[in-house]
Amino acid sequence: MSYLVLARKYRPLLFSDVAAQEHVTRTLINAITAERISHAYLFTGPRGVGKTSTARILARAVNCTAGAGADPCNQCVSCREIIGGRSLDVLEIDGASNRGIDEIRDLRERVGYAPSSSRYKIYIIDEVHMLTTEAFNALLKTLEEPPSHVIFIFATTAPHKVPPTILSRCQRFDFKSVPTAAIAGQLDKVLKEEKIAMSPEVVELVARKATGAMRDALSLCDQVIAFCDGDYTVEKASQVLGVLDAELFFALSAQIAGRNTLEVVRFVDRLVDSGVDLEGFYAELARHYRNLIIFKLGAKDPSALDIPLSQAPRYAELAAAFELEDLVRSLQLILRFEEIFKFSGQQKISLELLLVRLTLLEKSVNITELISRIESGSSGPVLNPAAGAAGGGRSAAGNTAGRAGAEAFSGAGSGRESSVERGPAEPVAGSASEPAGPAVELPDNEQPLLAAGDLRPVDLVLLKQLWPQVISRIKLRKLSLFPVLSSSEPARFEDDVLTLTTKGDPYNLNRLNDSTNRQIITETIKKSFGLDSLKLEILAVESSIPVQPDRAEESRNPAAQSFEQLCRSDPLMGKIKELFDPELLA
Ligand SMILES: [Zn+2]
């Protein structure tokens, strides 16, 4: 006898065989018992969860001649004909294969005839949403006045694509994804029947890989049986199922928490060398961050996350190394980047870029803490958020996890830290630490830079000479302007118009052209040199074309504009914006 695949061999024959859809089967059993059969049913839900199987059970049940209870007997002539696909009264139409035009026309011609040997004539239309408009119209005519001997059972994975006129004439049942535990339970039964001894770990692996589809679980089980040839180890099963080792993700995110940028690039190298499917890896990476977020939110029950029990402590430990906001922004970045990654001809480089960006994401600052600090007037620590208690603690935890992760990854580096491996936010924040803090004496921004007896004229030479001091003063007013101004210098000074040249980087230009920033720069220069009036002109070095100050403002999105408005009207928000120049998350 030829080998029958498990999914066909163990197709449910009774309502009770359908896994995890009791809410559907119980209602159908009650309807059959009470003889309240509807003329049209719509079964919706993901693929492989038992929609078609339930439709066939229902078809057999209503036509069964044994008449013992709601379940079909599966023994009588009618039941056996339907199981064998030979019944003239139960017709299956696949909406996906030919979009049903001929079948529906045929259906309309024959639907009026009485069933040949059964009580009901039953049409099972799979993937009904794929039917053409003509087919739907033809179907609708029949549905409006169905003959009493006809039952339609529609199945679809996309109910939103079924016309409302059809939907409103059906009794609808929504099938759910089958939980991993229920799949594992069903697999256990099948394996026992097949006399195959598979460890619970391997069964769980198969069940999880099936992601809620019972039919997929049985097909995957077939693959594992064929590949492992009696030796069912987790390693072999992982290999044939293409399951990525969870350790990979723990190691990677520990490196990200520790901001070990270089280590992350090496990680991608090893990933590619070991032949891992990068798209599969990407999908798992998103799931991994989702799990971290859920643990960070305080989840205690790993079954809700669909992860093995043994991984729960690891997730809890790793989640502690991140701030919730940072995890959310990371996942946002991963999801936004997905399309770029998928369609990139250079997937390895795309993945490297993403992971490097994840390590470089600037840390979130707790806004409540920030506001309370500003209100209490302690400006020192606010100027340097990286030195705050929360930031420092997190960083240390991240580095510890980073080392642990590096050891877990075979052949990984020692996880040592160097300045190269730190994020770019660090040097900026670090350099601000010297003048920051209330104990340090700050240069007086209001005083002219030149001493009282210094009578040098204010010209381009002097401006160039004292430019570093000017930048230092501006930095104290707005930290984020420092890197932008560092790449700019005075180029011309005539008739109270100071021309600053900057690299043609659009980011720098936009920052310098921001009206608030221009005001800060102009005011600082005026006070530093005792000037009565000063006009600022910004010049891109490459193009040498002056940039219109208003353009940057106009191109802002509405959210940015209302944020600007809020900052202008609320002094506290204005202060926050001035100090941190926050990035607005859409
Ligand atoms: Zn029967």
Side-chain angles (χ1 to χ4, degrees):
M1 188 188 153
S2 64
Y3 178 72
L4 197 60
V5 295
L6 294 178
R8 283 192 61 192
K9 190 170 174 184
Y10 291 93
R11 182 166 277 165
L13 289 174
L14 302 172
F15 283 118
S16 55
D17 292 342
V18 183
Q21 311 295 349
E22 287 80 11
H23 62 295
V24 174
T25 51
R26 202 184 311 118
T27 315
L28 290 175
I29 288 172
N30 291 344
I32 294 167
T33 313
E35 297 207 14
R36 295 172 65 92
I37 311 290
S38 169
H39 283 290
Y41 292 95
L42 179 72
F43 292 172
T44 73
R47 50 184 287 276
V49 296
K51 298 186 296 296
T52 317
S53 297
T54 306
R56 289 178 186 146
I57 296 170
L58 177 61
R60 288 199 299 278
V62 295
N63 275 346
C64 182
T65 52
D71 267 315
C73 75
N74 295 324
Q75 303 291 330
C76 69
V77 177
S78 168
C79 282
R80 277 187 285 128
E81 275 184 355
I82 298 172
I83 290 173
R86 300 185 304 273
S87 173
L88 296 173
D89 297 321
V90 176
L91 294 129
E92 287 195 32
I93 297 169
D94 181 10
S97 61
N98 50 12
R99 314 209 64 192
I101 301 170
D102 293 338
E103 279 81 357
I104 301 293
R105 192 181 301 136
D106 197 45
L107 181 153
R108 281 196 67 196
E109 282 167 14
R110 291 160 183 265
V111 77
Y113 300 121
S116 64
S117 59
S118 319
R119 203 169 154 203
Y120 290 103
K121 199 164 199 166
I122 298 162
Y123 292 94
I124 299 173
I125 305 184
D126 212 358
E127 297 300 348
V128 68
H129 65 274
M130 298 288 278
L131 292 184
T132 59
T133 313
E134 293 77 33
F136 270 128
N137 287 339
L139 199 56
L140 189 60
K141 294 253 163 55
T142 319
L143 274 179
E144 278 167 348
E145 285 175 56
S148 60
H149 59 266
V150 169
I151 298 173
F152 288 101
I153 309 173
F154 305 125
T156 180
T157 50
H160 57 281
K161 291 183 184 164
V162 178
T165 45
I166 304 277
L167 284 179
S168 65
R169 287 174 169 81
C170 297
Q171 200 174 333
R172 175 172 167 165
F173 290 92
D174 292 341
F175 286 62
K176 297 181 293 188
S177 278
V178 187
T180 305
I183 293 183
Q186 201 79 2
L187 286 178
D188 274 335
K189 277 191 216 164
V190 169
L191 290 167
K192 204 172 169 189
E193 197 85 8
E194 292 286 310
K195 296 188 173 54
I196 290 172
M198 219 179 256
S199 70
E201 289 77 23
V202 177
V203 172
E204 196 186 304
L205 200 67
V206 175
R208 184 162 297 112
K209 184 71 182 174
T211 57
M214 194 61 228
R215 188 174 59 217
D216 289 4
L218 290 169
S219 305
L220 293 170
C221 207
D222 268 325
Q223 283 183 35
V224 172
I225 292 167
F227 182 81
C228 294
D229 197 23
D231 181 24
Y232 303 110
T233 61
V234 172
E235 289 71 29
K236 277 191 165 181
S238 301
Q239 202 183 337
V240 68
L241 295 175
V243 174
L244 290 167
D245 189 352
E247 288 301 324
L248 279 181
F249 297 96
F250 286 123
L252 173 65
S253 44
Q255 298 292 2
I256 291 172
R259 297 185 162 238
N260 298 327
T261 315
L262 204 57
E263 227 20 81
V264 162
V265 176
R266 290 188 190 132
F267 175 91
V268 180
D269 274 340
R270 289 193 292 268
L271 206 61
V272 172
D273 285 348
S274 57
V276 167
D277 165 47
L278 291 185
E279 288 197 16
F281 174 83
Y282 202 101
E284 280 300 310
L285 183 67
R287 268 168 54 95
H288 174 72
Y289 266 87
R290 172 188 169 270
N291 289 347
L292 280 173
I293 288 173
I294 292 174
F295 262 93
K296 192 73 194 174
L297 290 170
K300 296 278 184 286
D301 178 18
S303 69
L305 285 162
D306 224 9
I307 58 163
L309 205 63
S310 59
Q311 287 177 13
R314 303 286 305 277
Y315 267 113
E317 187 191 342
L318 191 56
F322 289 96
E323 291 294 329
L324 177 62
E325 290 80 4
D326 294 337
L327 288 173
V328 170
R329 286 165 69 209
S330 298
L331 183 55
Q332 243 176 353
L333 186 63
I334 292 169
L335 295 177
R336 273 194 210 151
F337 205 74
E338 190 173 11
E339 207 162 320
I340 299 173
F341 167 78
K342 274 194 173 162
F343 295 103
S344 166
Q346 306 258 26
Q347 286 200 326
K348 184 190 173 212
I349 296 176
S350 297
L351 184 61
E352 278 172 357
L353 178 65
L354 170 77
L355 296 181
V356 166
R357 281 184 68 179
L358 286 179
T359 60
L360 299 186
L361 270 187
E362 285 181 49
K363 294 171 191 173
S364 300
V365 184
N366 186 319
I367 200 89
T368 321
E369 197 184 327
L370 191 66
I371 289 171
S372 69
R373 278 186 193 178
I374 290 173
E375 280 177 344
S376 70
S378 61
S379 63
V382 172
L383 275 170
N384 186 8
R394 189 197 87 120
S395 181
N399 288 337
T400 317
R403 274 190 290 279
E407 282 153 21
F409 197 111
S410 59
S414 63
R416 92 204 132 77
E417 290 154 42
S418 74
S419 60
V420 184
E421 289 167 326
R422 310 295 293 182
E426 296 288 330
V428 176
S431 64
S433 64
E434 27 156 324
V440 183
E441 201 183 328
L442 302 175
D444 191 354
N445 271 4
E446 303 298 314
Q447 294 299 316
L449 275 170
L450 296 178
D454 195 334
L455 296 174
R456 278 182 288 170
V458 180
D459 57 10
L460 186 63
V461 179
L462 188 69
L463 279 165
K464 275 189 168 175
Q465 195 186 342
L466 296 180
W467 189 238
Q469 276 112 299
V470 174
I471 295 179
S472 296
R473 287 183 163 197
I474 294 169
K475 185 175 85 178
L476 287 174
R477 287 195 61 184
K478 190 164 181 178
L479 186 63
S480 65
L481 275 177
F482 177 67
V484 181
L485 282 170
S486 298
S487 57
S488 68
E489 61 168 359
R492 196 193 313 153
F493 182 54
E494 275 170 23
D495 303 328
D496 293 341
V497 177
L498 172 64
T499 307
L500 284 182
T501 54
T502 182
K503 281 192 298 177
D505 186 332
Y507 175 77
N508 282 356
L509 282 175
N510 284 340
R511 300 301 297 277
L512 290 176
N513 278 318
D514 176 272
S515 58
T516 318
N517 290 344
R518 288 175 76 93
Q519 201 189 340
I520 291 173
I521 298 166
T522 314
E523 287 302 315
T524 310
I525 297 172
K526 274 164 75 180
K527 280 176 182 149
S528 298
F529 295 96
L531 300 170
D532 292 330
S533 73
L534 180 75
K535 203 167 170 287
L536 208 58
E537 192 182 60
I538 312 290
L539 210 63
V541 174
E542 276 87 347
S543 63
S544 295
I545 298 166
V547 178
Q548 295 303 314
D550 293 332
R551 277 231 305 271
E553 289 288 306
E554 279 168 17
S555 64
R556 292 274 180 90
N557 63 41
Q561 278 172 4
S562 47
F563 178 67
E564 294 286 340
Q565 210 168 1
L566 180 68
C567 291
R568 275 195 290 272
S569 61
D570 183 338
L572 188 58
M573 283 305 292
K575 184 83 176 164
I576 290 173
K577 179 172 180 286
E578 191 185 315
L579 283 168
F580 291 100
D581 198 14
E583 171 195 2
L584 204 61
L585 295 176

